[in-house]
Amino acid sequence: MQFPKIIQGGMGVGVSNWSLANAVSRLGQLGVVSGTALDSLFVRRLADGDPGGDMRRGLDAFPFPEMAKRIWDEFYIPGGKAAGVPYPLMPMHQRRELRKVVELCIVSNFVEVYLAREGHKNSVGINFLEKVQMPHLPSIYGAMLAGVGCVLMGAGIPLHIPGVLDALAGLRPAEYRLAVTGAAQDADTAMKFDPADYVEGPLPVLERPRFFAIVSSNTLATTMLRRASGRVDGLVIEGPTAGGHNAPPRGKLLLNAAGEPVYGERDQVDLAGLRELGVPFWLAGGYGNAKSVRYALDQGAAGVQVGTAFAFTRESGMRPDLKQSLIAQATTGTGEVFTDPLASPTGFPFKVALLQGSYSDPEVATARTRVCDLGYLREPYAIEDGEIGYRCAAEPVANYVAKGGKVEETVGRKCLCNALMANIGHQQTRRGDLMEEPALVTVGDDLNTIAQFLAPGRTSYGAADVIASLLSLTTDAVAADSSEMVYATA
Ligand SMILES: Cc1cc2nc3c(=O)[nH]c(=O)nc-3n(C[C@H](O)[C@H](O)[C@H](O)COP(=O)(O)O)c2cc1C
């Protein structure tokens, strides 16, 4: 069995888009699209007039044309929406979804994976955050319809995803238990999805994608392998220097003088222990350089997962002005990264690049009026008579408190849903005196090292530059097309 040495990490929302994943997979490594909030992103791409016609091309390949037509007819705006007009919003996700929300998840995930697979035969992965549970089932189904080769999931403990993959590949309905704060142990909080309710014609035959769990410790790795509802094919072991959300330190939360979580010995992974588990593993968090790749391979890893280096490639979805500012900082070694213990409503530490004028700037954060209109990070909570309510610690404080949330939980929280849309140029415009949504860029601690990928005199680089550089101390130093990759699904 041959595995990719490099997994290009999933980067939501839309940073690891289809064009980045396509470029990486074409080069024989594992390109991974982010599946997070793809439904809302799809609506915004259509509202922008689908420049380039890529979404249309994906829809034309979608196996259920009536569903594709419903979505196109509702959201496509020829020539794009007028400047200053807000993007249309979908109803927020909930346990029992509206049919059109489910359809949008199926279609948008299909299109992203379809486009990432276009023109080559190598495997493509999709990444989801376990904590963003409500869109899981139809999103995974859409990705499987497009032949996704691997599902990767972290930010939570995705014990029940392997069983979901088995059910969907077996053409059976799938279930996923929604975590509901305050619900009784035996409360029925299952979300259900039966593909038969959505397909047009017979159920398409689907392959079961591989499943890689993203975890931060030996304990979680072992738990995944012992208790998951189906086969776990690999593990990504992500340390606290990685971009995006980080696992909190083990034990009591201590902050350093700058206010960042302090990680210690207990947060180190035991590589010998990992090797003993007998499944392939990839190391992540600060592995975006040739020496670290060599080290990981020498330690028995199948390879590395890298995010930050790929986030700034020409192919990624990050807004060009943000890319340029941060590449310029990296070039002079002045990029600064802050591990914010409060920003994310999930409660996990979230790494942000300090960038003036962005949401990391305290003035911008204070000036933003709290609005919650995307709602991916809303926490389901039990209300009387078995009903479920939804709240987010970054929503308007009075609303959160009225829903039983604690006021201290709201301090320092940032609206990641809107910020991450802004990072990729789909920021919501608001009417009246409300400001346009600000960006909040997440990067790993080794932001400044991305300057290594710039050829002399250049201010940008591509996915191929990153791959060639990372593999330069390995046996496949030439980033050859490894079409013999055994787990390619095409
Ligand atoms: C911009 C950005 C967004 C990210 N978003 C996600 C995500 O949505 N899901 C996820 O599992 N990991 C996410 N990550 C983590 C990456 O997949 C990867 O594991 C990590 O970046 C590796 O560490 P590095 O940044 O030091 O290379 C993100 C990282 C970055 C830089």
Side-chain angles (χ1 to χ4, degrees):
M1 178 79 59
Q2 202 185 345
F3 287 107
K5 290 197 172 54
I6 300 170
I7 301 177
Q8 162 258 304
M11 295 179 279
V13 173
V15 172
S16 64
N17 57 8
W18 60 270
S19 90
L20 174 58
N22 189 308
V24 172
S25 285
R26 242 170 225 274
L27 292 164
Q29 303 304 320
L30 184 62
V32 177
V33 295
S34 164
T36 303
L38 268 182
D39 48 340
S40 289
L41 176 53
F42 196 74
V43 167
R44 294 186 180 195
R45 286 171 175 164
L46 294 191
D48 283 335
D50 186 21
D54 303 308
M55 299 304 107
R56 181 66 257 173
R57 205 165 68 253
L59 284 172
D60 287 342
F62 187 66
F64 318 137
E66 285 164 33
M67 195 187 294
K69 181 171 182 333
R70 278 193 289 280
I71 288 174
W72 181 260
D73 289 349
E74 179 163 0
F75 296 109
Y76 175 62
I77 302 178
K81 71 178 183 67
V85 174
Y87 283 111
L89 289 167
M90 287 294 288
M92 288 191 245
H93 287 281
Q94 49 186 328
R95 178 184 168 212
R96 294 190 203 285
E97 301 273 35
L98 297 176
R99 185 176 181 99
K100 84 169 179 181
V101 175
V102 174
E103 290 189 353
L104 195 55
C105 285
I106 299 173
V107 168
S108 56
N109 280 269
F110 172 89
V111 170
E112 200 74 5
V113 173
Y114 172 82
L115 294 173
R117 295 191 65 208
E118 210 176 24
H120 64 89
K121 293 199 180 308
N122 289 335
S123 191
V124 162
I126 192 162
N127 172 285
F128 297 102
L129 301 174
E130 201 280 333
K131 281 233 170 188
V132 183
Q133 296 183 327
M134 290 175 275
H136 277 346
L137 298 175
S139 300
I140 291 173
Y141 186 65
M144 285 173 67
L145 278 175
V148 75
C150 185
V151 171
L152 300 96
M153 198 182 285
I157 310 176
L159 284 173
H160 298 289
I161 293 295
V164 167
L165 302 181
D166 292 333
L168 295 176
L171 311 185
R172 298 189 304 275
E175 276 196 25
Y176 200 80
R177 191 164 189 269
L178 184 63
V180 179
T181 306
Q185 273 290 349
D186 58 351
D188 174 17
T189 63
M191 299 177 293
K192 299 185 174 149
F193 173 76
D194 185 350
D197 294 339
Y198 293 90
V199 299
E200 295 161 19
L203 282 170
V205 174
L206 299 176
E207 253 183 64
R208 198 264 198 195
R210 290 181 182 269
F211 179 71
F212 292 176
I214 305 169
V215 295
S216 58
S217 67
N218 293 73
T219 311
L220 279 178
T222 308
T223 305
M224 277 308 308
L225 296 180
R226 285 210 186 125
R227 291 188 29 218
S229 57
R231 200 181 69 231
V232 175
D233 301 283
L235 296 164
V236 176
I237 314 294
E238 197 188 64
T241 60
H245 283 96
N246 300 140
R250 305 190 77 191
K252 194 170 178 289
L253 179 67
L254 296 175
L255 301 180
N256 66 16
E260 299 173 299
V262 178
Y263 291 86
E265 289 240 321
R266 291 180 63 195
D267 301 299
Q268 304 263 335
V269 289
D270 163 21
L271 292 169
L274 285 176
R275 286 192 291 271
E276 281 165 20
L277 295 176
V279 295
F281 64 92
W282 286 260
L283 299 178
Y287 285 85
N289 62 80
K291 274 195 184 155
S292 298
V293 175
R294 186 64 264 163
Y295 168 81
L297 295 172
D298 292 344
Q299 293 300 315
V304 298
Q305 172 169 286
V306 172
T308 301
F310 286 110
F312 294 92
T313 55
R314 283 186 288 270
E315 293 91 342
S316 90
M318 191 189 291
R319 232 167 65 193
D321 62 310
L322 298 171
K323 262 184 214 171
Q324 277 156 19
S325 303
L326 290 165
I327 288 178
Q329 287 188 7
T331 311
T332 50
T334 53
E336 281 184 74
V337 181
F338 179 68
T339 307
D340 192 328
L342 297 176
S344 174
T346 61
F348 287 142
F350 185 68
K351 257 192 230 309
V352 295
L354 298 184
L355 193 60
Q356 229 186 0
S358 84
Y359 206 170
S360 67
D361 183 335
E363 269 182 39
V364 174
T366 314
R368 180 181 179 272
T369 304
R370 285 182 174 231
V371 180
C372 179
D373 55 7
L374 288 168
Y376 288 90
L377 295 176
R378 292 193 308 166
E379 167 201 14
Y381 66 97
I383 44 184
E384 275 154 40
D385 56 42
E387 289 299 305
I388 296 175
Y390 302 90
R391 64 188 174 209
C392 177
E395 74 179 306
V397 176
N399 297 2
Y400 184 72
V401 173
K403 296 176 194 170
K406 294 201 177 90
V407 71
E408 48 283 17
E409 272 295 314
T410 65
V411 177
R413 300 293 188 211
K414 294 187 166 155
C415 177
L416 294 196
C417 294
N418 273 294
L420 298 189
M421 284 286 179
N423 289 351
I424 52 169
H426 292 292
Q427 57 274 21
Q428 183 60 292
T429 302
R430 304 204 179 277
R431 295 194 194 275
D433 54 2
L434 295 181
M435 63 200 236
E436 191 168 82
E437 286 291 348
L440 184 66
V441 183
T442 179
V443 292
D445 283 344
D446 66 354
L447 166 64
N448 288 329
T449 69
I450 62 171
Q452 69 183 300
F453 305 114
L454 294 169
R458 291 298 188 87
T459 53
S460 75
Y461 64 88
D465 299 320
V466 175
I467 291 172
S469 171
L470 297 189
L471 293 179
S472 61
L473 298 179
T474 72
T475 45
D476 30 357
V478 180
D481 173 65
S482 56
S483 44
E484 77 274 24
M485 257 178 16
V486 176
Y487 72 103
T489 51

